[in-house]
Amino acid sequence: MNKTISIAIISAVVAISGCAPQGYSGKGGMTQYSITSEAYEYHYKNGFTGVDAMGWDANLQYVWSRAGAAITCGIKFDKKLVLSQMTKMYGQSDFIHELNGVDFHHLQSKKAEGFCTPSRINEIKDVMPKFEKGDFPKYF
């Protein structure tokens, strides 16, 4: 009987631990001093929203992240033009958009191993010409 109970308890523990969420919770990772690639990739896919937008417009974070990813993935675009379009749409200055936005996202995506997947490259190639025209999506 004791063996049966022990096996049942061990089985229950294994089953429960197998159901526990693995990895990043989806909130707060972008506020950390050292942002993990897992947190960055989560927000790249799902949006830099709430506290993870760090006080910036979530749609602007989307634009910054794709421009930064274009640099990481070696996709050519007119950076100066895109920065100018960001300034027209969102205010601030080209310098702020470059430093706080595009360059920040470039560094985050650069450290994520295997970041430049074919689907990401296709998405970036699709959106960058739109950004050059000042056509920024409003997903959030």
Side-chain angles (χ1 to χ4, degrees):
M1 180 101 166
N2 286 338
K3 261 188 183 175
T4 305
I5 293 172
S6 296
I7 291 172
I9 291 171
I10 291 171
S11 297
V13 168
V14 169
I16 290 169
S17 64
C19 296
Q22 299 292 319
Y24 180 59
S25 69
K27 186 175 179 187
M30 296 302 296
T31 66
Q32 301 302 306
Y33 177 76
S34 182
I35 299 166
T36 65
S37 295
E38 184 178 42
Y40 183 77
E41 290 195 62
Y42 174 90
H43 290 289
Y44 185 91
K45 179 181 178 184
N46 298 293
F48 299 89
T49 58
V51 296
D52 295 293
M54 300 297 294
W56 296 98
D57 183 305
N59 291 301
L60 176 57
Q61 287 277 7
Y62 173 86
V63 175
W64 284 347
S65 68
R66 274 42 185 192
I71 296 168
T72 298
C73 299
I75 298 166
K76 303 269 187 236
F77 70 100
D78 188 335
K79 185 177 180 183
K80 187 174 179 176
L81 178 59
V82 171
L83 291 170
S84 174
Q85 296 288 16
M86 287 179 197
T87 300
K88 285 180 191 172
M89 177 69 158
Y90 294 101
Q92 303 295 330
S93 68
D94 291 8
F95 177 76
I96 293 294
H97 290 294
E98 182 172 28
L99 183 66
N100 288 356
V102 177
D103 289 351
F104 168 81
H105 282 278
H106 162 58
L107 294 173
Q108 294 304 317
S109 58
K110 182 179 175 182
K111 74 179 189 178
E113 189 176 327
F115 183 83
C116 297
T117 63
S119 62
R120 283 195 178 130
I121 290 170
N122 288 338
E123 180 210 9
I124 297 163
K125 285 181 176 179
D126 181 55
V127 299
M128 292 316 296
K130 295 174 185 174
F131 293 176
E132 290 173 337
K133 295 176 186 172
D135 181 10
F136 302 117
K138 301 233 183 298
Y139 293 130
F140 307 99

